[in-house]
Amino acid sequence: DHVGIYVERQVLTWCKEMMGFPASAGGLLVSGTSMATVLALKAARDARLGFDASREDGLAGGPTRLVGYAAQGTHSCIKRALDVLGVGADALRIVPVTDAFTMDVPALHAMVAEDRRRGLTPWLLVATAGSVNVGAIDDLDALADVAEAQGLWMHVDGAFGAAAVLSDEVRPRLRGMGRASSLAFDFHKWLHVNYDCGCVLVRDGDTHLRAFSDRASSLAGGGGGRHSPDYLAGNARGLAANAPWPVDLGIELSRGFRALKVWSHLLEHGTRALGAAITANLRHAEHLAALVDKAPTLTRLAPLSLQIVVFRYEPAGLLGGGGGGGGGG
């Protein structure tokens, strides 16, 4: 029962409010979105397979073959998380994208139906709020509808793009993010906090707790849980009180005081100023895109969605076979 717990809880309360999650949601500050994704998808796996079966027997405890879905261009941390969790990277189905590089929802429907026909278990839908390559934002409301209709856990990869919810201009495009089962995002990207700090939010706080806590009986101040060593036993008062602890919500016992710099940053600047900085960054990207469009040797390769401008240098003769260079990719 010490100050670090209270500071992190306050930061997480602010995060839930910013991202449209309920006050009852679970949350934890971690190193970044990669770790946040592992934690979120573990909660998703355990919730689908049953907490006791999944945590005790693992994937060997039953014949269920889980599969998930993400758009082409989704961050590599999603496959890595499935690998780490024993589900397997090949369990992730890559859904085609539209001309705007967002997930093709009709194609998703068809893929889910085909996997069910093959006897597989559709379980996870990963939506992207700001893709790595082009900054695309999936139709989060439409994907939330699919997740609800199909019984899928919807996870939003919002590594940098989720922060744009603070911008009045972008917020409408992120409508639906608050309907997600879980969300991962970084403070050390568009929120301008020094490395490192990310956040995971899990809509159902009890699901988050049951996915990680080994101190079930100690949370009420009454000794250790089923696998909890004595040194993690809780008490009703003193330093061993104030459950749940961060260890009940993630995999790390040793962790730094990341919450302090986020707490200080938010208190100093406030969400209005951070949102204004994000909106200003959008203007920078628009200016660059306009310059690219005017340049005869530059070609834009993707629509401008957020702050990423994708373009190619095409000097005269390079692509036209005019005796200049060789081919290339």
Side-chain angles (χ1 to χ4, degrees):
D1 192 13
H2 54 82
V3 65
I5 299 293
Y6 290 99
V7 172
E8 181 154 347
R9 286 179 180 171
Q10 179 60 69
V11 169
L12 290 169
T13 295
W14 290 335
C15 290
K16 295 170 194 178
E17 293 171 353
M18 285 190 298
M19 301 301 171
F21 273 61
S24 59
L28 193 67
L29 299 185
V30 293
S31 58
T33 289
S34 293
M35 178 57 74
T37 300
V38 171
L39 302 188
L41 299 196
K42 183 186 184 301
R45 183 199 68 182
D46 293 352
R48 173 51 63 96
L49 297 179
F51 293 96
D52 289 338
S54 182
R55 297 192 64 187
E56 296 290 334
D57 301 327
L59 296 180
T64 303
R65 174 72 191 279
L66 300 175
V67 290
Y69 308 88
Q72 183 180 3
T74 297
H75 196 282
S76 61
C77 72
I78 304 299
K79 278 197 170 187
R80 292 181 62 141
L82 295 180
D83 175 14
V84 168
L85 293 171
V87 178
D90 285 346
L92 188 66
R93 303 290 192 259
I94 302 302
V95 183
V97 294
T98 67
D99 291 341
F101 295 90
T102 60
M103 187 182 295
D104 185 325
V105 177
L108 170 66
H109 278 291
M111 293 172 72
V112 171
E114 174 61 16
D115 282 337
R116 290 195 192 281
R117 187 192 66 78
R118 295 172 55 203
L120 304 176
T121 302
W123 145 74
L124 172 70
L125 174 57
V126 178
T128 298
S131 65
V132 176
N133 290 337
V134 299
I137 299 174
D138 286 331
D139 187 337
L140 302 180
D141 250 341
L143 295 184
D145 290 341
V146 174
E148 290 176 6
Q150 297 287 348
L152 306 177
W153 178 289
M154 177 172 154
H155 173 74
V156 173
D157 176 7
F160 82 82
V165 75
L166 299 182
S167 166
D168 293 338
E169 184 173 316
V170 183
R171 188 178 305 114
R173 297 172 58 200
L174 293 171
R175 186 176 54 247
M177 187 167 67
R179 298 171 62 189
S181 304
S182 58
L183 167 67
F185 68 95
D186 287 325
F187 285 98
H188 58 233
K189 290 189 172 72
W190 233 355
L191 289 171
H192 310 290
V193 174
N194 289 340
Y195 273 96
D196 62 16
C197 192
C199 181
V200 59
L201 297 178
V202 179
R203 168 168 294 280
D204 187 327
D206 184 62
T207 293
H208 189 183
L209 185 66
R210 293 178 67 189
F212 293 97
S213 180
D214 290 324
R215 306 184 315 121
S217 63
S218 73
L219 297 185
R226 58 182 177 177
H227 301 306
S228 179
D230 292 341
Y231 57 80
L232 290 180
N235 286 302
R237 299 179 59 191
L239 289 177
N242 202 15
W245 300 346
V247 71
D248 296 311
L249 301 167
I251 62 177
E252 294 179 303
L253 283 171
S254 301
R255 42 197 316 273
F257 194 6
R258 293 187 179 101
L260 181 59
K261 61 186 176 184
V262 180
W263 179 82
S264 302
H265 189 75
L266 291 176
L267 282 181
E268 171 66 21
H269 300 290
T271 56
R272 185 175 301 175
L274 293 171
I278 290 170
T279 301
N281 198 191
L282 300 178
R283 300 288 85 79
H284 301 154
E286 290 172 357
H287 179 62
L288 175 58
L291 294 177
V292 169
D293 290 342
K294 292 178 182 178
T297 58
L298 300 178
T299 301
R300 275 208 290 142
L301 303 179
L304 179 61
S305 176
L306 288 174
Q307 92 298 19
I308 298 176
V309 182
V310 185
F311 61 93
R312 179 171 58 199
Y313 176 49
E314 297 180 350
L318 180 63
L319 302 179

